[in-house]
Amino acid sequence: MFVSFEGIEGCGKTTQVELLTTFLSQRGIPHLITREPGGTSLGKLIRKMLLDPANSEMEPLTELFLYAADRAQHIAQVIRPALETRQWLICDRFADATTAYQGYGRGQDLAFIQQLNQWATQGLWPHLSLLLDCPVEVGLDRARRRIEDSALEGREDRFEQQALAFHQKVRTGYLELAAQNPARFRILDATMELERLHEEIVTILEPYLNQKN
Ligand code: T5A
């Protein structure tokens, strides 16, 4: 079973992935947690390039290809092998993020991104994509508070530094993707309290939990 978590900055994906990991461990369900960008050692180098605020001169097309390169490596080295061993694979962001951020956010050609995603994923898509949806003000406020609470104060990444309008376009993109792929997407209200949101996610996943893959 391949499940991706998607949504704007600070919507709570990483928090929910962690809660789900604990839940799957308690149920004794074999699973692998991964993320994009940066799910492989090569990917970690690509992630650093992509998120470093010092790389403000990065061309949108360069950015698009770097995400595709990260994904191609991730599919070959992590995702396909994990699915072949019939583990649950939980991915914090996947190819939909490229459509939402580089397509809707940056305005790169959507048809081209669709093709590029097909190449990079080799046609391997999540069985379920959980879209944690919230207003951009809520997500960005959470992301900023998390930075302030950690030792990272003043260290917003290249995407967190983008204007509100960019994040609004990304949110719209995700909602459109969900509308276009209703069989794969579930939209969750990410303004909900952490534990309640986790329970909703478990309720969605429950029918799949007894399946082998
Ligand atoms: N990107 C990625 C692209 O442009 N194209 C692509 O193809 C891909 C794959 C990745 C960046 O790359 C971009 C998108 C991103 O900008 P990242 O660091 O992995 O960078 O960024 P995010 O995935 O956005 O991670 P964030 O940490 O910013 O957001 P999360 O994971 O959604 O949020 P989380 O769980 O860390 O929570 C943030 C804060 O909110 C609190 C948490 O405790 C935390 O402090 N919180 C809640 N508070 C109240 N109620 C809730 N329900 C809460 N849930 C979490």
Side-chain angles (χ1 to χ4, degrees):
M1 182 77 184
F2 179 8
V3 181
S4 64
F5 279 74
E6 297 284 359
I8 59 164
E9 317 292 305
C11 66
K13 298 174 307 302
T14 309
T15 306
Q16 292 302 325
V17 167
E18 283 165 9
L19 291 172
L20 183 59
T21 308
T22 307
F23 172 84
L24 292 173
S25 299
Q26 285 166 350
R27 284 273 188 111
I29 294 168
H31 59 276
L32 185 77
I33 307 300
T34 187
R35 71 168 174 184
E36 289 193 356
T40 62
S41 45
L42 199 55
K44 286 187 178 67
L45 299 174
I46 298 175
R47 178 183 172 91
K48 206 158 176 282
M49 280 193 270
L50 279 164
L51 301 188
D52 191 343
N55 291 335
S56 57
E57 82 287 2
M58 190 182 291
E59 283 294 317
L61 201 56
T62 309
E63 180 182 288
L64 175 62
F65 287 145
L66 283 175
Y67 278 110
D70 170 71
R71 186 160 302 125
Q73 188 71 20
H74 196 204
I75 285 279
Q77 228 180 327
V78 175
I79 297 183
R80 189 179 294 286
L83 293 175
E84 280 169 3
T85 61
R86 303 176 84 78
Q87 292 184 71
W88 273 59
L89 186 100
I90 313 296
C91 195
D92 191 342
R93 296 194 182 280
F94 190 61
D96 295 308
T98 303
T99 309
Y101 279 79
Q102 282 63 54
Y104 286 85
R106 297 269 192 241
Q108 300 277 299
D109 186 79
L110 289 172
F112 177 62
I113 290 180
Q114 199 177 4
Q115 268 193 316
L116 189 64
N117 273 342
Q118 274 305 109
W119 278 99
T121 60
Q122 296 172 24
L124 232 177
W125 285 83
H127 300 105
L128 266 184
S129 295
L130 304 177
L131 173 56
L132 307 193
D133 179 57
C134 66
V136 290
E137 293 83 357
V138 173
L140 290 178
D141 187 50
R142 283 182 190 168
R144 285 193 187 119
R145 263 191 286 132
R146 190 208 43 210
I147 292 169
E148 282 164 15
D149 292 348
S150 67
L152 297 169
E153 191 160 359
R155 295 280 307 279
E156 285 177 323
D157 69 32
R158 233 164 39 82
F159 287 89
E160 285 157 351
Q161 288 178 341
Q162 294 290 310
L164 212 63
F166 171 82
H167 295 286
Q168 190 58 58
K169 285 190 231 166
V170 173
R171 183 188 185 197
T172 302
Y174 270 128
L175 290 170
E176 285 188 18
L177 271 171
Q180 287 158 13
N181 300 279
R184 176 164 64 85
F185 269 95
R186 301 288 181 280
I187 305 176
L188 290 123
D189 175 3
T191 62
M192 257 190 277
E193 190 272 323
L194 290 180
E195 282 299 333
R196 223 187 112 209
L197 189 53
H198 171 62
E199 281 163 22
E200 296 238 338
I201 289 170
V202 169
T203 304
I204 290 170
L205 297 181
E206 198 69 57
Y208 305 91
L209 287 170
N210 295 322
Q211 292 176 11
K212 283 249 159 60
N213 201 353

